[in-house]
Amino acid sequence: MLVPRALARFRARHPGVLPLLREGTTERLLPMLEAGDLDIALVSTHKVPSIAADGLVALLDDALLVALPSGHRLAARERVPLGELADEPWIVADDPAAIAALHARCEAAGFVPRTPLRVAEWISKLGLVAEGFGVTLVPALAASAMARDGVVLRAVASGRSRRAVYAAVGRHARRSPPVTAFLADLREVAAELGPGAERPRPEGGSRAPRAGSTGPRGRPRRSPPPAGRRGGRAGTPRRSCWSAACP
């Protein structure tokens, strides 16, 4: 939701820039950013308590929801304590960081989760939930795209039930006008997403953006130069690479 909306806004404002998008996990995107293969990456604390990177820009805090079969005994509740799911099988990606993150959240609620079903793709995860094979955690930002019959999404009432989402900007790209412009669009959209997506406290501290994907407006400031006119003739599309981190 965050990345598509921000990209649509950026395209409308800067039609001369051609964004290049790469999807990946936080742990995959950060080395690409450091190597200069990406200009900006959306990363999160979904799998880790904090992110060891500089150039982080706090965007929002995203609630984690629990996906339950629609006939589950707790499906009628608005908020579900993780401790009441201690006896459920948990569905999680077969990835050490993802498993460790789930264990940390569940152990904070007083139990060690059973994870017999190791699945990474959301369609498969939610299909298993719908058929009653287990439960799984879903980021609230992705909830609208994950609606399906047989599954209900409920807020988590206890434990580490949120993840912080940041934009990490590469050192080489911090003065790039297109990157600056896209970062402003990300902040605008994050601010519009409402109470379920609150802005986190910062953990650290712009060529047409190359983005990879996994704040409220401040004082008025000068707009960056038109993104499509830097680095070439006016009107020539300029490429930019971004990334979005998967949850």
Side-chain angles (χ1 to χ4, degrees), residues 22-33 38 41-44 46-48 51 93 95 97-98 120 122 163 212-214 243-247:
R22 299 292 181 265
E23 185 182 61
T25 57
T26 293
E27 57 270 25
R28 173 175 174 262
L29 297 177
L30 288 176
M32 295 174 67
L33 191 73
L38 298 174
L42 259 69
V43 296
S44 81
H46 186 73
K47 295 181 183 179
V48 293
I51 298 173
D95 168 75
W122 287 109
R163 63 171 187 159
S213 109
T214 47
S243 67
C246 296

Side-chain angles (χ1 to χ4, degrees), residues 23-212:
E23 185 182 61
T25 57
T26 293
E27 57 270 25
R28 173 175 174 262
L29 297 177
L30 288 176
M32 295 174 67
L33 191 73
E34 185 68 22
D37 297 327
L38 298 174
D39 295 327
I40 185 170
L42 259 69
V43 296
S44 81
T45 58
H46 186 73
K47 295 181 183 179
V48 293
S50 62
I51 298 173
D54 61 1
L56 291 179
V57 177
L59 294 177
L60 52 84
D61 275 343
D62 186 29
L64 291 175
L65 310 177
V66 62
L68 306 171
S70 56
H72 193 275
R73 59 188 172 83
L74 301 177
R77 294 195 189 179
E78 290 186 6
R79 300 176 67 83
V80 176
L82 280 184
E84 295 200 27
L85 299 170
D87 295 329
E88 301 285 345
W90 284 82
I91 303 165
V92 65
D94 193 14
D95 168 75
I99 296 167
L102 176 64
H103 273 253
R105 289 190 172 96
C106 293
E107 287 168 7
F111 70 98
V112 176
R114 293 186 297 115
T115 58
L117 302 172
R118 305 286 178 86
V119 178
E121 296 297 329
W122 287 109
I123 292 176
S124 299
K125 282 183 178 179
L126 295 181
L128 290 167
V129 171
E131 296 300 330
F133 283 100
V135 300
T136 194
L137 292 175
V138 175
L141 278 176
S144 61
M146 296 186 188
R148 60 156 295 159
D149 292 340
V151 175
V152 297
L153 300 178
R154 297 292 179 257
V156 176
S158 59
R160 294 166 51 193
S161 58
R162 305 187 78 83
R163 63 171 187 159
V165 178
Y166 300 91
V169 182
R171 292 186 183 90
H172 62 282
R174 291 175 190 171
R175 296 187 179 182
S176 163
V179 169
T180 301
F182 183 60
L183 186 57
D185 291 332
L186 284 170
R187 283 172 156 161
E188 283 185 7
V189 173
E192 293 165 4
L193 287 175
E198 300 167 359
R199 193 172 179 191
R201 287 176 290 182
E203 290 200 17
S206 288
R207 179 171 98 195
R210 290 168 299 173

